[in-house]
Amino acid sequence: DNGLYEQAEATAQSRVDILDGRYGRTSIEVANASDLLVRALLLNGKGAAAGTRAIAELSVQTKELRLGATHVDLAISLINLGDCCVEAADYRCALAALERAVALRATSSATNGVPLAEAQDHLGRALTAAGRHAEAVRTLERSLQIKQSLLAASDVGIARTLEALGLAHQRRGDYSQAGVVVRRAARIQ
C-alpha cells in the first residue's frame, strides 16, 4: 500500500529532523536515521531523486568520518547508496558501493551469514541491471547457498534471491534455467 510507504517516509524524515536538532547533521544518530529514510524513499519509488542520493551519500560520509572506512555498520549505508545509484542508472557508482558493502560484511563474523547474502542480493540485482549477467548469476548463487544453509526452505528471503537469480538467467538468455528458478520461488511464496 503506497500510503504505508508515505507514512514510513514521513516518520523517518521526522526522526532525522529531531536527531539533527539534538546531535547535529553529521552525527551517527542522524546517519542511522537517514539510512531508514533512504530505505523508505527507495521503497516509495524515489530512489533516483537527487535528494535521496544526497542523503545516502551524507550517511556514508558521516559513517566513514565517525566510524572509519572499514566499519561494518557502514555496509547498510553503502547498500542504500548503491540502490539509489541503480535507480538512477549510475551503475559504476552502484557497483562500487555494493562491492564495498559485500566486502565489509564478509569480513565481520557478525554479518557474514544472512546479512552478507542480502548484500550479495543487492549486488546481484545491480550487476543484472548493468548487463553483467554472468557475474550476477555467480553472486546470486553465492547468496542462495548462504541462505539455504541458514534459513528454512520456505523462507521468503530465499524466494527473493531466487527471483533475482531468475531475472539474471532470463537477461542472460537462459530461459530454461530462469523458468526453473522462478517456479521454485513461486512455490515458496
Side-chain angles (χ1 to χ4, degrees):
D1 182 80
N2 194 32
L4 293 177
Y5 292 138
E6 295 282 339
Q7 183 180 1
E9 182 183 330
T11 300
Q13 182 63 63
S14 175
R15 185 76 180 144
V16 167
D17 293 342
I18 290 168
L19 293 171
D20 183 12
R22 188 174 300 157
Y23 300 106
R25 172 113 358 228
T26 59
S27 67
I28 286 298
E29 293 83 1
V30 170
N32 288 333
S34 294
D35 288 338
L36 296 175
L37 174 59
V38 171
R39 184 57 39 199
L41 290 164
L42 283 159
L43 292 170
N44 214 6
K46 299 177 182 178
T52 304
R53 183 169 172 170
I55 296 166
E57 287 172 340
L58 182 59
S59 181
V60 169
Q61 292 166 1
T62 298
K63 287 185 178 181
E64 286 175 333
L65 176 69
R66 302 287 183 205
L67 302 174
T70 60
H71 197 285
V72 71
D73 288 349
L74 182 59
I76 189 60
S77 302
L78 289 165
I79 289 169
N80 283 340
L81 177 58
D83 288 351
C84 288
C85 293
V86 168
E87 293 296 316
D90 184 351
Y91 301 120
R92 191 181 63 166
C93 165
L95 296 175
L98 293 167
E99 286 169 353
R100 274 187 72 198
V102 167
L104 287 173
R105 286 193 170 169
T107 61
S108 170
S109 62
T111 59
N112 69 359
V114 174
L116 171 59
E118 290 172 351
Q120 290 171 326
D121 285 350
H122 287 269
L123 177 58
R125 287 190 290 272
L127 287 163
T128 298
R132 293 168 57 178
H133 309 302
E135 291 174 76
V137 167
R138 286 191 300 273
T139 300
L140 292 164
E141 285 176 344
R142 284 192 300 271
S143 170
L144 185 60
Q145 287 175 346
I146 292 168
K147 288 183 177 183
Q148 287 175 327
S149 72
L150 298 172
L151 301 174
S154 61
D155 192 285
V156 71
I158 292 174
R160 285 190 195 113
T161 302
L162 288 167
E163 288 172 346
L165 183 57
L167 179 62
H169 280 300
Q170 185 265 330
R171 296 272 172 88
R172 189 177 181 188
D174 189 349
Y175 302 109
S176 174
Q177 186 61 29
V180 169
V181 171
V182 169
R183 282 189 294 278
R184 183 171 165 215
R187 283 193 302 271
I188 293 173
Q189 297 175 0

